Amino acid sequence: MAAVEVKNLVKHFGKFQAVKGISFSINEGEIFGLIGPNGAGKTTTLRIVSTLLTITDGSVMILGHDLAKQAGEIRKLISYLPEDAGAYKNLTGRGYLQFIVNFFDPKEHHQMLDKGIKITDLGNRIDDRVDTYSKGMMRRLLVGRALMTNPRLAILDEPTSGLDVINAQEIRKLIKTTATSGTTVLLSSHNMLEVEYLCDRIALISEGKIVEAGKPRTLMEKYKARNIEEVFIEVVHE
């Protein structure tokens, strides 16, 4: 069973069509990247899959559940990290993670919190207030929040956005480790070079349409390209 099955997905905002009949599937335990420039429809698609936006047309199945009819069941199985997510700045890092953990089964609280602290890897700074954190520290905290709940599907929108090289590399390692433990990952990125390291398969999206899909290495060989960025430029300008 595919973890995610998107078929002919369409999304309108008034007269504007943000997503134009896209289809893709994601296997369980896979890291799948939705790749493209800003404004291509990536975030809209992720917000639909995460149940935050309704479908105009088409269908989405997530872990055997129909998004249009079973959004409540889907929310129990997924975790979503928006690109512009924030945390309560008057809490410590530990306090913020504990706040999130309190929404889950009390039997899992201790283990979940320990996992979140380990993922964030903030050391003693975990007990400092969030408003003292750098952008990289904040992003690590938020990734920890998203992954500590052991979601069956983690949806990550631009997970390394705005980070320096070292922090971005740490986030990528966290995502890789999460996938090897059985979580399926759907991520978006406009950084087409980093997905060659992260993703098992990708879909290239431009102006609301998927223009190519497959394994990064296979696509580079198909278009005789050195990287996915060159593949994208080749496909879009065909």
Side-chain angles (χ1 to χ4, degrees):
M1 180 184 70
V4 178
E5 189 76 45
V6 175
K7 293 184 179 179
N8 303 315
L9 178 63
V10 175
K11 179 61 182 177
H12 290 165
F13 294 100
K15 295 181 179 180
F16 176 67
Q17 191 173 13
V19 179
K20 304 174 182 178
I22 67 173
S23 299
F24 62 89
S25 65
I26 307 173
N27 300 321
E28 288 201 52
E30 186 173 41
I31 301 178
F32 186 93
L34 196 59
I35 313 304
N38 293 331
K42 305 186 305 296
T43 292
T44 297
T45 301
L46 265 60
R47 287 177 177 168
I48 290 171
V49 173
S50 59
T51 77
L52 296 180
L53 292 176
T54 58
I55 298 168
T56 302
D57 200 5
S59 65
V60 178
M61 295 291 295
I62 299 174
L63 298 163
H65 298 283
D66 186 335
L67 180 68
K69 301 175 182 178
Q70 299 172 292
E73 291 301 312
I74 290 170
R75 292 185 190 115
K76 299 174 184 177
L77 305 173
I78 68 173
S79 182
Y80 173 52
L81 177 62
E83 179 181 6
D84 55 356
Y88 296 112
K89 294 184 177 181
N90 62 325
L91 296 177
T92 65
R94 186 191 302 272
Y96 173 69
L97 295 179
Q98 181 66 63
F99 173 76
I100 299 299
V101 163
N102 289 339
F103 290 97
F104 294 85
D105 187 339
K107 296 178 182 178
E108 301 178 15
H109 283 190
H110 184 72
Q111 183 178 5
M112 200 175 285
L113 180 60
D114 284 350
K115 182 175 181 179
I117 291 170
K118 183 178 180 180
I119 290 172
T120 61
D121 193 26
L122 290 172
N124 293 333
R125 294 299 304 275
I126 193 70
D127 291 310
D128 290 346
R129 282 171 52 115
V130 171
D131 61 5
T132 68
Y133 285 2
S134 66
K135 185 168 185 176
M137 293 168 67
M138 172 71 84
R139 202 61 180 166
R140 293 215 303 273
L141 179 70
L142 292 169
V143 170
R145 184 270 293 168
L147 301 182
M148 71 181 180
T149 59
N150 301 314
R152 289 185 61 190
L153 172 65
I155 304 163
L156 310 176
D157 192 359
E158 301 284 358
T160 64
S161 175
L163 299 184
D164 60 35
V165 173
I166 294 173
N167 279 303
Q169 188 178 63
E170 289 301 315
I171 296 298
R172 293 184 200 118
K173 288 178 181 177
L174 290 174
I175 294 169
K176 277 276 194 181
T177 301
T178 298
T180 58
S181 65
T183 296
T184 303
V185 178
L186 167 60
L187 63 86
S188 78
S189 179
H190 66 271
N191 184 337
M192 300 183 202
L193 301 180
E194 78 172 4
V195 301
E196 294 172 31
Y197 168 77
L198 267 181
C199 298
D200 299 302
R201 288 189 304 124
I202 61 173
L204 303 177
I205 186 168
S206 177
E207 298 180 349
K209 296 180 180 180
I210 289 179
V211 292
E212 184 61 280
K215 296 180 178 181
R217 178 57 54 187
T218 302
L219 292 177
M220 286 186 281
E221 291 173 355
K222 178 179 177 180
Y223 290 95
K224 297 181 175 57
R226 292 171 295 178
N227 52 53
I228 292 300
E229 194 171 74
E230 289 186 358
V231 172
F232 187 82
I233 292 171
E234 181 74 21
V235 170
V236 169
H237 291 92
E238 276 188 339

